[in-house]
Amino acid sequence: MLSFSSSFSLSRLERKMLRADSYADWKNTALEHDSKSGFEAWKAKDESKSYDYANIRSRIDALKEHRRQADNIGLLFALNEGIHGNQGGMGKSELYKMAKFGTKHLIEEYVDEIVGALEHISSIPESGEITKEDKLDFFERASHCFGRSALMLSGAGSLGHFHRGVIKTLFEHNVLPTVISGSSAGAVSAAILGTYSDEELPAVLQGDNALDPLQEKIDKRPKSLIRKQVDPASLKILLEALIPDMTFQEAYEKTDRMISITIAPAEEHQTSRLMNAITSPNVYVRTAVMASCAVPGVYAPVMLMAKNVYGEAQPHLPERRWVDGAVTDDLPAKRLARLYGVNHYIVSQANPLALAIIKGEQYLPVSEGAKKVLRLSTHEILKSGEKFSRRYLRKIPDLGKTMSMFYSVMAQDYKGDVNIVPNFNFVDPQKLLGQLTSTEIDELVIEGERSTWPQLEQIKISSKIGHKLDEILDHHSKHNIKRFYKKRR
């Protein structure tokens, strides 16, 4: 039991972490908190009921012994037994919630040992014992089995500047996944990541860099009780200034990042789409983002544009119109798993409704198992309600469509393996689609950074092996899509 003075000291450190101006300040405070709370000693001790520490220690010792004896065949055989992100239960989120910074040193040691072994196998000369084909076969199987991480950026309206702080932090710490999805406001941030190179990104992500050509005008506008909202014309100006005129395929070729934009159909009897370089390579990224930002009832549905075989712009599915992707699939986890082999999800969540659901669950006085049962039961009830609406509200199509959207929004799962959420509990409704001042934008960006710092170590540890496998394999194939475009005679 901590004394009153110790508890007061820890509370003071927690408040200091919430107000930290830099990651270095936050990290130093977090480590001081761990030292005073006793969790620094907890991290150094292998034993815990939360994971199979004996299995992990045994694996580390075996890999070290193979490398010590220069037994490359034995090392490859040991690695072939399996490379898992959840070896012995080490991926459990509870292991990253105990200390303020990091987790068990044993877990970090295991990850580093696996990465070192992979680098060793990659660097040894090909021989009769281990051929180039053997190595390539091993790395491809290991990558397929291990999977990869994805960053999913939620819908958030004007609060989407929070995502900018998140991706800025992930990029600066070299843990930004190459698979990224975005819906609604999140689609704007996903498009930035997909269309700007690593050399260009820092200038775009800086908090003091105004991305909106109308920002100076917004800042000079006199304060009013009624906040001016973002209208379709100003949104179009922003997207045209921010997102280059390129297709999903061209974006992938430029940045190597696999971005996906969620859009929803404006018509009934259609399903949502995930636009990316696989499903829609010739569609212009900007028009997909415009569609994903088209909040139903506020902005008109959008027609997509794509390049034809001659490299000219033309309508894509001209009979269809599309709206806000967050309505039906804010976080397209299953589709990313199918398309890109994703099995680890980092969620930047700033959707006010989702935040209310997530934070409401935290205060329910029941076990995690009971929460899961309640969540599943609620989803089933909502599905039944949707079927009822479709069946009995056919004669009132607008009402039926509205009810279907409501059920879809409420039934979605808004969480991933790592969840980055803001600390604020209340949002002025006028801000959701309102024009924000530079000061308000800067506050959201720094809130995104501060909310990411506590999750960084988990992200680094969870994705380090996957990053190394991707680095070794280097899946990206250099080619130019423009060679497929014909020239007009």
Side-chain angles (χ1 to χ4, degrees), residues 321-334:
R321 298 294 183 273
W322 306 91
V323 296
D324 191 344
V327 170
T328 56
D329 206 4
D330 196 27
L331 305 175
K334 291 182 179 179

Side-chain angles (χ1 to χ4, degrees), residues 81 92 113 157 163 200-201 205 243 248 252 285 388 392:
E81 290 179 345
K92 289 180 181 177
E113 188 61 36
H163 297 318
E200 297 167 332
L201 267 181
L205 297 179
I243 302 174
F248 280 98
Y252 171 63
V285 174
F388 178 87
Y392 293 103

Side-chain angles (χ1 to χ4, degrees), residues 61-81:
D61 292 344
L63 293 172
K64 284 184 174 179
E65 183 63 18
H66 287 305
R67 293 179 69 183
R68 187 184 68 81
Q69 295 185 5
D71 181 6
N72 295 330
I73 294 291
L75 179 62
L76 187 59
F77 185 84
L79 289 171
N80 263 311
E81 290 179 345

Side-chain angles (χ1 to χ4, degrees), residues 295-319:
V295 179
V298 180
Y299 303 138
V302 173
M303 179 176 67
L304 300 175
M305 297 296 290
K307 277 188 177 180
N308 62 19
V309 70
Y310 300 102
E312 301 168 345
Q314 70 175 32
H316 178 74
L317 301 176
E319 71 282 3

Side-chain angles (χ1 to χ4, degrees), residues 7-181:
S7 297
F8 180 80
S9 177
L10 292 178
S11 297
R12 178 184 61 80
L13 290 172
E14 288 166 8
R15 290 192 297 272
K16 186 178 178 182
M17 288 164 65
L18 289 173
R19 299 191 302 267
D21 292 323
S22 69
Y23 176 68
D25 289 343
W26 179 91
K27 178 181 176 181
N28 290 334
T29 308
L31 289 171
E32 184 181 352
H33 189 288
D34 286 346
S35 178
K36 291 187 175 182
S37 65
F39 280 108
E40 196 61 47
W42 174 85
K43 289 188 284 187
K45 186 178 179 182
D46 288 359
E47 292 81 2
S48 172
K49 293 181 179 180
S50 298
Y51 74 126
D52 190 347
Y53 59 88
N55 171 265
I56 294 174
R57 174 56 68 190
S58 174
R59 286 276 288 164
I60 292 173
D61 292 344
L63 293 172
K64 284 184 174 179
E65 183 63 18
H66 287 305
R67 293 179 69 183
R68 187 184 68 81
Q69 295 185 5
D71 181 6
N72 295 330
I73 294 291
L75 179 62
L76 187 59
F77 185 84
L79 289 171
N80 263 311
E81 290 179 345
I83 300 174
H84 307 290
N86 195 28
Q87 178 76 31
M90 70 180 210
K92 289 180 181 177
S93 60
E94 63 193 76
L95 288 166
Y96 295 88
K97 292 178 180 177
M98 305 296 286
K100 295 298 181 183
F101 183 88
T103 185
K104 293 282 190 180
H105 294 331
L106 177 65
I107 294 174
E108 298 176 27
E109 184 183 351
Y110 171 78
V111 170
D112 288 341
E113 188 61 36
I114 289 290
V115 168
L118 292 173
E119 289 176 334
H120 177 76
I121 293 296
S122 176
S123 64
I124 59 175
E126 287 81 13
S127 66
E129 288 186 323
I130 301 178
T131 66
K132 181 178 181 180
E133 289 72 22
D134 290 335
K135 290 165 67 171
L136 183 60
D137 175 68
F138 162 71
F139 286 122
E140 286 182 341
R141 285 187 292 104
S143 179
H144 179 73
C145 294
F146 187 82
R148 52 162 43 110
S149 298
L151 173 64
M152 298 194 292
L153 305 166
S154 74
S158 295
L159 304 181
H161 296 284
F162 172 84
H163 297 318
R164 192 165 150 203
V166 173
I167 60 180
K168 177 175 179 283
T169 303
L170 296 178
F171 178 76
E172 288 174 346
H173 290 266
N174 200 31
V175 289
L176 182 68
T178 54
V179 179
I180 302 143
S181 76

Side-chain angles (χ1 to χ4, degrees), residues 66 123 163 188 266 279 315 334 403 450-451:
H66 287 305
S123 64
H163 297 318
V188 180
T279 62
K334 291 182 179 179
M403 293 301 294
R450 286 174 175 154
S451 298

